Amino acid sequence: MKKLLFILNPKSGKGQIKNQLLDIVNIFQKNGYRVQLHITQEPLDAKNTVMEIGEQFDRIVCSGGDGTLNETVSGLMEAGFSVSVGYIPSGSTNDFASSLKIPKKMDKAAQVAVCGESFLCDIGSFNERYFNYVAAFGAFTEVSYATPQQMKNVLGHPAYLIEGIKQITAIKAAPMTVEYDGNKIEGDFIYGMITNSTSVGGFKKIVGKSVKMDDGMFEVTLIRNPKNPLELQEILNALLTEDASSERLITFKTAQLYIHSPQSVPWVLDGEFGGNPREIEVKNQYQALNIIVPRENM
């Protein structure tokens, strides 16, 4: 039998996977896999487990939110070996799974994880770390890791919106220089994101059009500091309607960029705290992740 490592974050989402665990393992076994279960105990447990024993398996399946998947993929990238990855999303938002059309229902996602087809997906490197679908700074980025887990479990996605509203009055701009493909952009920015996803925070229009997750390119969005409430409203309207004509909204595609700030700026990688660097190099790791996605006839 083929060997499958099943990494499970029991605290993710509302913990519903606990009620479906036997059914999920049964799906794996019926499809010819001998399953080893690992329940995460603390932050970075998924990453460390992959690095230590992941190479022994034919497939790694993880269940949790975007942060659990980030740890799993980061473990593979840092260890330097390639194993196909299945994903059973059980978080509050699950942007990455949505972008790949992985089912929300856990039993169907489990079936995809062992019966789907391989998709070679781009991954981002952020200095010495990795992200699957988004690296972001500025307004609202703290929401993903500052929102209490209990609130996420009870309210789901609206919990992020509630926490975000609290931060509106605390928006602070960061001075930055951004360089890419021979271009240089300077200014004070209240928000920025580097994405490889069709949605961020559950919102699909915010990342722009024609997103391909295997083309070696990031979609980048930068928002200049609004001078007054009218300009802030203009920015919000531009994001929600995919209108990039606002002078305070900068969008472009690139495979690599450098960011410098004279001050420390908090970043978020796939919904988890990413540190406070002043110098950042972001590179697209072209088709570095072999992830299992639904077949056309599934």
Side-chain angles (χ1 to χ4, degrees):
M1 296 180 71
K2 296 172 289 185
K3 297 171 63 178
L4 183 149
L5 174 61
F6 184 27
I7 297 175
L8 167 63
N9 179 354
K11 297 181 180 179
S12 179
K14 298 179 181 179
Q16 294 178 346
I17 194 169
K18 299 174 186 177
N19 300 323
Q20 302 185 48
L21 183 56
L22 291 179
D23 291 336
I24 290 171
V25 172
N26 189 43
I27 290 171
F28 295 161
Q29 291 184 339
K30 281 186 175 180
N31 285 277
Y33 285 94
R34 186 190 317 130
V35 181
Q36 179 171 324
L37 173 65
H38 180 87
I39 299 175
T40 59
Q41 305 296 315
E42 58 189 357
L44 298 181
D45 192 1
K47 175 183 172 182
N48 292 334
T49 300
V50 169
M51 295 183 70
E52 290 170 7
I53 63 173
E55 197 170 15
Q56 303 171 20
F57 295 85
D58 301 288
R59 182 155 301 176
I60 298 173
V61 178
C62 68
S63 180
D66 293 327
T68 303
L69 181 63
N70 176 281
E71 285 195 25
T72 301
V73 174
S74 294
L76 286 171
M77 296 295 291
E78 291 191 24
F81 56 81
S82 179
V83 177
S84 58
V85 175
Y87 182 37
I88 302 175
S90 61
S92 302
T93 304
N94 303 311
D95 286 306
F96 195 69
S98 175
S99 298
L100 294 172
K101 296 181 171 55
I102 294 174
K104 294 180 180 180
K105 291 187 175 181
M106 293 181 187
D107 57 342
K108 292 184 178 181
Q111 191 73 26
V112 168
V114 288
C115 297
E117 61 184 8
S118 294
F119 175 72
L120 296 178
C121 183
D122 300 340
I123 293 297
S125 62
F126 180 93
N127 290 345
E128 302 300 319
R129 297 183 61 176
Y130 295 93
F131 63 94
N132 296 328
Y133 75 98
V134 61
F137 72 88
F140 312 126
T141 52
E142 291 184 6
V143 170
S144 56
Y145 61 84
T147 304
Q149 184 65 49
Q150 185 176 6
M151 184 184 292
K152 295 179 188 178
N153 292 346
V154 173
L155 299 178
H157 180 62
Y160 294 99
L161 302 181
I162 292 170
E163 195 68 25
I165 291 170
K166 297 178 184 178
Q167 297 188 16
I168 288 179
T169 58
I171 293 176
K172 295 181 181 179
M176 286 186 171
T177 299
V178 180
E179 299 181 61
Y180 72 99
D181 303 336
N183 301 296
K184 180 184 287 189
I185 301 171
E186 297 178 309
D188 294 336
F189 301 98
I190 62 166
Y191 182 76
M193 63 180 181
I194 304 157
T195 63
N196 187 43
S197 175
T198 61
S199 69
V200 172
F203 297 98
K204 294 184 178 297
K205 291 185 177 182
I206 198 171
V207 295
K209 302 176 181 179
S210 303
V211 175
K212 294 184 178 181
M213 299 175 68
D214 61 348
D215 62 355
M217 303 293 284
F218 293 123
E219 285 70 39
V220 182
T221 301
L222 299 170
I223 301 178
R224 293 188 183 276
N225 190 27
K227 297 177 181 178
N228 52 59
L230 288 177
E231 289 190 351
L232 177 59
Q233 186 61 49
E234 175 189 330
I235 290 168
L236 294 174
N237 290 339
L239 290 172
L240 294 174
T241 60
E242 299 181 14
D243 179 7
S245 61
S246 171
E247 294 182 357
R248 315 217 69 76
L249 185 66
I250 301 169
T251 61
F252 57 90
K253 290 177 178 281
T254 187
Q256 185 172 353
L257 65 158
Y258 303 88
I259 301 173
H260 166 77
S261 177
Q263 66 187 46
S264 297
V265 178
W267 282 77
V268 170
L269 307 179
D270 294 340
E272 302 295 329
F273 182 56
N276 301 281
R278 296 184 181 184
E279 302 283 344
I280 300 164
E281 180 180 18
V282 181
K283 292 183 179 180
N284 187 293
Q285 306 296 319
Y286 178 61
Q287 297 186 1
L289 171 63
N290 180 1
I291 191 163
I292 308 301
V293 299
R295 298 180 185 274
E296 290 186 6
N297 59 351
M298 290 188 77

